[in-house]
Amino acid sequence: MNKPIIPIAPAGANKQRKRQGPKGRRVDARALAEVEALIGGPSRRHDLLIEYLHQINDRYGQLGAPHLAALAQLLGLAQTEVYEVATFYHHFDVVKENPDGSLAAPPALTVRVCDGLSCEMAGAKQLLQRLPALLGRDVRVIPAPCVGRCEQAPVAVVHQNPVPHATVESVQIEVRAGHTHHAPETYIDFDAYLAQGGYALLRDCIEHRRDVESVLKTMEDSGLRGLGGAGFPAGRKWRIVRSERAPRMMAVNIDEGEPGTFKDRWYLERDPHRFLEGMLIAAWAVDISAIYVYLRDEYHGCRALLEAELAKLQANPPVSPLPKIELRRGAGAYICGEESAMIESIEGKRGMPRLRPPYVAQVGLFGRPTLEHNFETLYWVRELLEKGGAWFASQGRNGRKGLRSFSVSGRVKNPGVKLAPAGITMRELIDEYCGGMPDGHTFYGYLPGGASGGILPASMGDIPLDFDTLQPHGCFIGSAAVIVLSSQDTAKDAARNMMRFFEHESCGQCTPCRVGTAKTNLLIARDKWDKPLLADLSQVMRDASICGLGQAAPNPVDCVVKYFPNEIA
């Protein structure tokens, strides 16, 4: 048998050609200089990636490929790492090059019209239909998920300015005005807060007039539970994190993206230092090294307020030294309200929830034990410690303890934040705190805990509203975001609105949530619902989704099937 002839390669042919530059897009010198001028000196940090993207997006109105490539080089990251973060968040305008290498011009102005349930009931669809033609081609009009101003429905946001109770005329006026943002005009600032005895409690803690154990016990005795939705006992959380190894971190969640929720924004706009003092007391009690405050991007006015008041606090600290405090800006992602997704975002990554265990109290921000808290939980700390845990626990109705800040919107005469006893019923809340139903409307149903909390009929309006009271009915109170439906609404349409939101906001990490929300949307768009198939989908999503978004997303649909069967027959 003849052996095959193997050709001999010429000398040097097997040597690899030396690469003339890094893989991927070549970095444009002009783009590099522009980004370098924006993000500053040599101490560039990977965890500030989202902050850097905001700076570019704010300056140029979009994120073009040349700027993304330049940012990647300056941070020593792969371009794909920067691109995947930029494209994850809704508020970044990532554009691709035209065939000739040019970039599409950014819109002169963007108007976002909230299409959350409360705004939809108040006429958001009509605004979305009429505004594009009236505002012209240079103004981009797009729907937006809940912007956290449900008591002012319908709401439009012109660039960064919220327009409450928006009409075509008021939006046109704001477009012509062209302001950048509106900060709250009246609130208790640093000097006024000091004059009212502010930060005296913090000084008592730092100067050993109060000891850590007494503070922890007061928090535990109060029964205060986390007010961001999960409801974990606050005092117990402090003790758990304090027992972990140092250094410990703290992450504060002001990313209240749950449709129907606006209480954190409402309190922040009025008394920011009450929250800051509670935050610093928690940091002292748990021996925290650094604090990261994560504020949703929709709250531009609140960010300006908080930056100004933090600067005053740090320039004239009531105690010394203060822990390091960093204010971080979200970028439009509901999923970042989940604690581990928020931590990923603070670290400059996509907001993907982590698998647990380990829990963030053990391995959280930058791999360190982390105390994660909602804004309102910290807002109550000063009053609890001044009045005692027994005072807070003595509040309540129907055998429940404590107070709740209900964000009430929808079909009531007087929507807003209502501080009411825990355990109050829906009927009592409407009649005693909201002025009743509007004229011509009859109480039909309600969402007790925002989009995730399910939907109940008016016939179940006498259930005490609190943690653990609604679970037997397939619902939960969450962040106490209450949306009231009247006889002019249907639970079916409310569920459709919620499921569109969940499909839009799913991070896509796990298949049950990513595919389940999309499939459910298709099924409930029909007049007659396939109840067995919806039940199967619901079970899979609850059992197999990584985080609470996918696990709770079926709640509105399941409630319509169970409590409003006539709507889908």
Side-chain angles (χ1 to χ4, degrees):
M1 174 183 273
N2 294 327
K3 294 183 179 179
I5 299 173
I6 301 174
I8 300 174
N14 290 329
K15 292 182 179 179
Q16 291 183 345
R17 289 182 62 187
K18 187 175 181 181
R19 188 178 298 281
Q20 299 300 311
K23 278 187 176 182
R25 169 183 293 275
R26 299 289 180 87
V27 175
D28 178 77
R30 180 178 174 181
L32 186 66
E34 289 171 342
V35 173
E36 198 165 15
L38 277 176
I39 71 173
S43 58
R44 301 173 188 125
R45 294 159 43 188
H46 291 182
D47 64 294
L48 291 175
L49 173 57
I50 293 170
E51 299 294 316
Y52 298 147
L53 291 170
H54 272 304
Q55 288 177 282
I56 299 169
N57 202 78
D58 289 347
R59 171 65 179 82
Y60 295 101
Q62 60 186 15
L63 296 173
H67 284 146
L68 294 177
L71 181 59
Q73 178 169 308
L74 290 171
L75 294 179
L77 295 172
Q79 292 180 22
T80 53
E81 292 179 272
V82 174
Y83 185 79
E84 71 177 6
V85 172
T87 53
F88 180 84
Y89 295 93
H90 303 315
H91 290 186
F92 292 139
D93 285 313
V94 181
V95 295
K96 295 181 179 179
E97 289 183 352
N98 294 319
D100 63 359
S102 64
L103 298 178
L109 187 67
T110 296
V111 174
R112 290 181 167 89
V113 178
C114 177
D115 64 357
L117 180 57
S118 297
C119 286
E120 183 178 273
M121 291 192 294
K125 284 184 177 179
Q126 289 75 18
L127 284 175
L128 283 165
Q129 290 168 357
R130 296 183 60 196
L131 283 173
L134 294 170
L135 297 180
R137 291 184 178 179
D138 290 339
V139 179
R140 177 177 60 173
V141 179
I142 57 176
C146 184
V147 297
R149 295 182 175 272
C150 316
E151 85 280 25
Q152 303 167 1
V155 178
V157 180
V158 178
H159 184 41
Q160 299 175 350
N161 285 342
V163 181
H165 307 295
T167 62
V168 168
E169 293 74 20
S170 64
V171 172
Q172 288 178 307
I173 290 170
E174 189 62 42
V175 167
R176 289 194 293 268
H179 300 135
T180 53
H181 64 73
H182 297 314
E185 295 180 0
T186 57
Y187 62 90
I188 301 172
D189 65 7
F190 181 63
D191 292 334
Y193 188 73
L194 287 177
Q196 297 174 10
Y199 292 108
L201 181 59
L202 176 64
R203 282 195 296 270
D204 286 347
C205 293
I206 299 294
E207 295 169 4
H208 309 294
R209 287 185 289 276
R210 285 182 182 253
D211 62 87
V212 171
E213 182 56 37
S214 69
V215 168
L216 291 175
K217 190 169 189 317
T218 300
M219 292 295 295
E220 290 170 334
D221 290 346
S222 72
L224 178 68
R225 295 171 66 170
L227 298 171
F232 193 87
R236 183 178 165 198
K237 182 184 283 189
W238 291 17
R239 200 178 286 280
I240 289 171
V241 179
R242 183 179 170 82
S243 69
E244 295 290 333
R245 69 201 185 286
R248 306 174 195 92
M249 302 292 179
M250 185 173 182
V252 181
N253 190 342
I254 322 182
D255 193 63
E256 57 173 357
E258 185 71 31
T261 311
F262 49 89
K263 60 184 177 58
D264 292 353
R265 189 259 310 161
W266 194 88
Y267 283 126
L268 178 55
E269 288 178 339
R270 287 156 177 79
D271 197 356
H273 287 279
R274 185 170 292 272
F275 148 69
L276 290 173
E277 184 170 13
M279 179 184 80
L280 291 170
I281 290 170
W284 163 80
V286 184
D287 192 18
I288 296 294
S289 300
I291 302 170
Y292 292 80
V293 180
Y294 191 87
L295 178 66
R296 73 180 305 203
D297 194 37
E298 288 82 354
Y299 291 170
H300 287 274
C302 290
R303 188 172 68 255
L305 178 159
L306 202 49
E307 286 173 342
E309 295 306 313
L310 275 171
K312 294 176 187 177
L313 175 66
Q314 291 166 329
N316 186 24
V319 296
S320 186
L322 291 175
K324 170 187 169 185
I325 303 171
E326 287 197 22
L327 178 60
R328 293 298 181 85
R329 178 180 173 185
Y334 165 73
I335 192 64
C336 290
E338 196 275 341
E339 61 177 8
S340 66
M342 178 185 68
I343 285 172
E344 288 285 298
S345 190
I346 292 172
E347 292 179 354
K349 306 170 189 173
R350 294 177 296 167
M352 296 283 201
R354 297 176 179 177
L355 291 170
R356 288 167 287 189
Y359 297 95
V360 299
Q362 304 161 308
V363 182
L365 197 52
F366 308 117
R368 305 307 307 169
T370 300
L371 178 67
E372 190 277 342
H373 261 316
N374 168 258
F375 170 94
E376 195 202 350
T377 312
L378 297 169
Y379 184 88
W380 281 105
V381 168
R382 175 185 166 186
E383 195 156 3
L384 281 176
L385 295 179
E386 287 178 341
K387 295 183 178 179
W391 163 79
F392 187 80
S394 68
Q395 313 293 319
R397 290 188 187 178
N398 299 309
R400 310 305 297 179
K401 295 181 179 181
L403 295 166
R404 293 285 173 270
S405 299
F406 293 94
S407 303
V408 185
S409 63
R411 309 294 192 182
V412 292
K413 283 185 177 178
N414 302 316
V417 174
K418 311 296 179 181
L419 183 61
I424 193 171
T425 68
M426 192 65 245
R427 292 186 190 279
E428 293 169 340
L429 187 63
I430 293 172
D431 294 339
E432 297 177 31
Y433 288 82
C434 302
M437 300 290 293
D439 295 339
H441 291 260
T442 304
F443 180 35
Y444 177 69
Y446 64 106
L447 287 76
S452 306
I455 310 174
L456 292 172
S459 60
M460 299 175 70
D462 296 317
I463 300 170
L465 298 175
D466 197 12
F467 295 113
D468 310 321
T469 59
L470 296 161
Q471 278 87 333
H473 309 286
C475 298
F476 59 82
I477 194 170
S479 57
V482 175
I483 304 175
V484 181
L485 307 178
S486 81
S487 50
Q488 297 188 16
D489 310 304
T490 66
K492 177 172 65 176
D493 284 340
R496 286 168 172 165
N497 181 287
M498 298 295 107
M499 193 54 66
R500 285 196 302 271
F501 171 80
F502 287 130
E503 181 183 3
H504 183 262
E505 293 299 322
S506 173
C507 74
Q509 180 177 192
C510 63
T511 303
C513 177
R514 182 183 68 251
V515 177
T517 52
K519 180 66 175 178
T520 302
N521 255 328
L522 291 173
L523 291 172
I524 65 175
R526 303 170 183 171
D527 290 333
K528 188 172 182 179
W529 290 8
D530 186 335
K531 290 184 283 187
L533 185 52
L534 285 169
D536 287 346
L537 262 178
S538 171
Q539 196 62 52
V540 170
M541 291 172 70
R542 292 179 189 281
D543 290 345
S545 294
I546 289 173
C547 81
L549 191 159
Q551 294 162 10
N555 282 345
V557 173
D558 289 351
C559 284
V560 171
V561 172
K562 185 174 182 180
Y563 299 117
F564 302 89
N566 293 338
E567 292 189 15
I568 57 170

